[in-house]
């Protein structure tokens, strides 16, 4: 989800749980994501990539450090 200028991930009570950066997140509690975060959904791994210029990357629209 996108809220207050950042991306959030929420586990909606999944059977296998959700991990962000190796830490299990609590069900129904949104967790902010940062560009490059590793997400595990059960046995599947993803890497979160935020769009350039979003607060989650720490850069402005030109790719410069904010």
């Amino acid at each position: 989800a996108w809220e207050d200028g950042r991306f959030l991930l929420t586990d909606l009570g999944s059977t296998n749980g959700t991990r962000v950066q190796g830490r299990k997140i609590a069900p129904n509690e949104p967790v902010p994501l940062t560009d490059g975060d590793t997400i595990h959904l059960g046995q599947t791994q993803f890497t979160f990539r935020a769009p350039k210029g979003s607060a989650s990357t720490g850069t402005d629209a030109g790719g410069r450090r904010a």
Side-chain angles (χ1 to χ4, degrees), residues 3-66:
E3 187 176 300
D4 297 326
R6 60 189 181 162
F7 290 94
L8 302 171
L9 178 68
T10 305
D11 182 304
L12 301 176
S14 65
T15 301
N16 295 314
T18 302
R19 295 183 179 276
V20 176
Q21 294 300 97
R23 293 189 175 135
K24 187 171 183 176
I25 64 173
N28 302 307
E29 292 187 25
V31 173
L33 294 174
T34 302
D35 188 63
D37 278 353
T38 301
I39 301 165
H40 284 89
L41 306 174
Q43 297 295 317
T44 305
Q45 178 179 314
F46 300 90
T47 300
F48 174 72
R49 293 292 178 205
K52 284 186 180 179
S54 72
S56 297
T57 62
T59 63
D60 65 14
R64 296 175 295 272
R65 282 297 221 199

